[in-house]
């Protein structure tokens, strides 16, 4: 992986692009297989930021369930989901965007949480307090954070 | 037990950060060198998706397991001793103690934890051990009820459980218990919270797997109350349910709620056939 190079490229892209149109969780266009063709922000994802989100407990916490060789510096990779090594070769960017935003559209009934969804929950809570959610529910990850995670997943290719 | 081998593996784990596919281990739980516990057995008929039921003990490290094998090592027993003092202390307007009516708990309480929660025909409700204890306090002692899952209440729960250790869990789920059981089952399979996870997502579909640093068990409650190294006290099953639901980023139910009474009956029934282990030791 060339995180640094990628991060720099991403920053350049971000700086260069026009004001982004953010697609709200309720307006996301999933195809019949659960993929999302268009970027949620119109901005390129930052793979280095994606890697951080994947290991951060309060964010993606993806390593709670998935093993990722490239993220071995973060301890305790889970076994609930498959290893994410090689996902960038197995899936297209659109498919990965759909998987991270709402994996249930790809895998019916999967235990993997939907990271870009704001309604349809049973007893939604206010973070990890055990209390009821207050006001409007925020998705677990923002549109740009989804793009960042997708950018990182795209670097996980089979050599 | 293989302390050395496991410690080496654990050290490796810390260094490389690799989780190893766990599953339950094959150790045997013998209490105080005397009572051999049933920690794995055929699932009761009413279980739909699991063939073998397994005590949470099998998913803990050898070090944690060892603490539960000997009452002098099991710090939960310190709280049982405290509850024994309470057992013998007269309280309330009637000036009676538990001992005045029930004598030695080793005789009178044997088997109680194995059959509760239980439908109480007089009260017309499903009763947990803690509810029964509070009924005794209010009706027979003229004393204040204890707060659900509070220290004193859980310690007494553990004293009572300790006298059923080695006996098989055997809660009734038919007749008057049936509607409670159905309700508990529905809760067990409901995907709560913003993470949309049910008890089954973790404890039925994924037991044996690591979820971050935690080795998922079947979420059985034959070992409750549980002494947790994490908070150094005894913990009731409702408090555990609460913590698990909170971790799905959900609004939880409270200890002693109708929902958790029903869930306790349902989860307990999933362990019908396992030995009572309370107070067990967990991390």
């Amino acid at each position: 992986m060339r995180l640094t190079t990628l991060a720099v490229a991403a920053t350049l892209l971000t700086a260069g692009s026009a004001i982004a149109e953010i697609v709200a969780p309720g307006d996301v266009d999933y195809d019949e297989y659960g993929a999302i063709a268009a970027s949620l922000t119109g901005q390129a994802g930052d793979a280095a930021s994606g890697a951080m989100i994947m290991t951060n407990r309060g964010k993606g916490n993806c390593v709670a369930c998935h093993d990722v060789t490239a993220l071995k510096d973060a301890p305790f990779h889970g076994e609930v989901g498959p290893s994410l090594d090689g996902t960038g070769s197995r899936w297209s960017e659109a498919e990965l965007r759909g998987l991270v935003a709402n994996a249930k559209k790809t895998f019916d009934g999967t235990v993997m949480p939907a990271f870009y969804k704001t309604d349809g929950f049973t007893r939604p809570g206010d973070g990890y307090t055990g209390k009821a959610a207050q006001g409007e529910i925020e998705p677990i990850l923002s549109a740009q954070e989804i793009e960042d995670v997708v950018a990182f997943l795209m670097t996980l290719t089979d050599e | 037990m293989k302390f050395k081998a496991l410690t080496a593996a654990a050290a490796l784990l810390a260094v490389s950060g690799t989780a190893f596919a766990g599953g339950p281990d094959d150790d045997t739980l013998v209490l105080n060198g005397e009572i051999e516990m049933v920690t794995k057995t055929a699932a009761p008929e009413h279980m739909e998706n699991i063939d073998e039921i397994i005590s949470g003990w099998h998913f803990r490290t050898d070090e944690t397991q060892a603490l539960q094998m000997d009452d002098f090592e099991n710090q939960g027993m310190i709280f049982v001793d405290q509850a024994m003092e309470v057992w013998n202390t007269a309280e309330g307007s009637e000036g009676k103690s538990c001992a005045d009516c029930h004598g030695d708990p080793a005789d009178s309480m044997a088997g109680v934890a194995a059959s509760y929660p239980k439908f109480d025909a007089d009260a017309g409700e499903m009763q947990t051990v803690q509810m029964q204890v509070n009924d005794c306090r209010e009706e027979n002692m003229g004393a204040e009820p204890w707060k659900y899952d509070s220290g004193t209440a859980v310690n007494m729960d553990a004293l009572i459980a300790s006298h059923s250790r080695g006996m098989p869990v055997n809660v009734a789920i038919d007749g008057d218990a049936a509607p409670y059981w159905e309700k508990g089952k529905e809760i067990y399979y409901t995907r709560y919270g913003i993470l949309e996870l049910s008890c089954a997502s973790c404890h039925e579909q994924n037991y044996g797997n690591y979820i971050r640093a935690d080795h998922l068990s079947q979420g059985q409650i034959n070992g409750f109350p549980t002494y947790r190294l994490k908070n150094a006290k005894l913990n009731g099953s409702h408090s555990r349910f609460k913590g698990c639901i909170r971790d799905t980023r959900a609004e939880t139910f409270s200890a002693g709620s109708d929902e958790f009474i029903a869930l306790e009956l349902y989860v307990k029934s999933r362990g019908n056939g396992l030995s009572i282990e309370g107070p067990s030791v967990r991390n």
Side-chain angles (χ1 to χ4, degrees):
Chain A
M1 266 194 323
R2 295 146 299 141
L3 279 187
T4 348
T5 330
L6 259 163
V8 171
T11 320
L12 286 176
L13 269 172
T14 312
S17 29
I19 300 155
E21 278 291 316
I22 293 189
V23 183
D27 300 331
V28 177
D29 200 3
Y30 293 89
D31 74 15
E32 59 178 311
Y33 304 106
I36 306 170
S39 163
L40 298 174
T41 60
Q43 315 251 350
D46 172 354
S49 151
M52 307 246 286
I53 293 163
M54 287 186 61
T55 54
N56 181 320
R57 270 173 203 272
K59 291 283 183 187
N61 200 15
C62 314
V63 296
C65 291
H66 293 284
D67 190 45
V68 189
T69 306
L71 298 176
K72 276 295 188 228
D73 284 351
F76 304 126
H77 291 218
E79 305 168 322
V80 169
S83 162
L84 296 182
D85 291 356
T87 36
S89 304
R90 279 196 296 283
W91 302 91
S92 69
E93 185 186 292
E95 287 166 339
L96 287 173
R97 188 176 288 117
L99 271 165
V100 182
N102 186 350
K104 288 162 180 86
K105 306 266 186 191
T106 305
F107 298 111
D108 197 27
T110 184
V111 301
M112 177 160 155
F115 291 90
Y116 201 60
K117 180 180 157 176
T118 50
D119 56 11
F121 302 119
T122 306
R123 297 177 73 88
D126 182 6
Y128 291 105
T129 61
K131 304 225 162 62
Q134 300 294 314
E136 275 190 34
I137 294 170
E138 295 285 322
I140 301 172
L141 297 180
S142 70
Q144 192 55 43
E145 286 169 336
I146 301 277
E147 294 301 327
D148 292 352
V149 169
V150 170
F152 176 75
L153 292 174
M154 289 300 289
T155 68
L156 302 178
T157 49
D158 296 326
E159 286 327 299
Chain B
M1 278 192 306
K2 302 149 287 171
F3 270 123
K4 293 252 170 52
L6 245 150
T7 318
L12 204 76
L13 179 81
V15 174
S16 69
T18 332
F20 47 87
D25 69 10
D26 292 324
D27 293 338
T28 308
L29 174 53
V30 179
L31 181 63
N32 299 325
E34 279 174 356
I35 310 175
E36 179 147 345
M37 302 280 198
V38 176
T39 52
K40 287 184 187 172
T41 190
E45 258 172 44
H46 57 262
M47 292 270 279
E48 285 152 28
N49 308 313
I50 282 186
D51 296 330
E52 188 184 35
I53 50 175
I54 305 166
S55 162
W57 184 81
H58 280 291
F59 298 85
R60 308 282 52 100
T61 62
D62 277 0
E63 288 80 353
T64 307
Q65 286 182 333
L67 297 174
Q68 199 190 310
M69 297 178 80
D70 183 331
D71 281 358
F72 288 107
E73 299 282 328
N74 182 344
Q75 294 184 71
M77 293 308 285
I78 294 169
F79 297 94
V80 168
D81 288 344
Q82 289 176 9
M84 194 59 207
E85 276 173 40
V86 177
W87 178 270
N88 287 317
T89 307
E91 262 190 85
S93 57
E94 305 303 306
K96 284 197 176 115
S97 69
C98 313
D100 286 326
C101 292
H102 298 290
D104 183 350
D107 302 322
S108 62
M109 294 296 129
V112 168
S115 63
Y116 271 72
K118 197 184 216 170
F119 188 77
D120 178 320
D122 294 335
E125 62 180 11
M126 182 56 59
Q127 261 187 349
T128 63
V129 171
Q130 286 191 46
M131 289 163 76
Q132 176 59 56
V133 169
N134 273 341
D135 272 11
C136 281
R137 288 182 60 80
E138 293 186 280
E139 286 159 29
N140 303 328
M141 298 165 68
E144 288 291 311
W146 288 321
K147 187 170 177 290
Y148 213 95
D149 268 3
S150 62
T152 330
V154 175
N155 294 353
M156 185 57 74
D157 215 349
L159 167 72
I160 293 168
S162 71
H163 293 296
S164 290
R165 285 184 296 173
M167 295 182 181
V169 175
N170 184 20
V171 293
I173 64 171
D174 53 358
D176 289 323
Y180 294 89
W181 187 82
E182 289 295 343
K183 179 176 171 183
K185 180 177 178 184
E186 189 193 319
I187 294 172
Y188 193 88
Y189 287 102
T190 300
R191 298 185 64 162
Y192 290 111
I194 289 172
L195 299 184
E196 297 178 288
L197 296 169
S198 69
C199 311
S201 308
C202 288
H203 295 297
E204 186 168 276
Q205 286 176 252
N206 280 296
Y207 70 87
N209 286 331
Y210 276 85
I211 186 162
R212 204 127 194 178
D214 285 313
H215 192 193
L216 284 167
S217 72
Q218 288 185 347
Q220 296 282 0
I221 54 172
N222 60 306
F224 274 77
T226 273
Y227 177 82
R228 292 189 68 187
L229 303 170
K230 187 175 159 181
N231 59 13
K233 65 180 180 82
L234 287 173
N235 298 269
S237 60
H238 292 200
S239 302
R240 178 46 112 159
F241 298 162
K242 214 173 146 177
C244 281
I245 294 190
R246 181 199 59 216
D247 287 349
T248 68
R249 297 197 187 201
E251 178 190 4
T252 60
F253 302 100
S254 45
S257 62
D258 289 347
E259 287 84 3
F260 279 171
I261 293 164
L263 186 61
E264 180 180 338
L265 174 70
Y266 178 72
V267 175
K268 188 94 172 246
S269 81
R270 292 173 68 95
N272 269 358
L274 292 175
S275 297
I276 291 282
E277 291 174 29
S280 63
V281 181
R282 301 287 188 261
N283 47 301

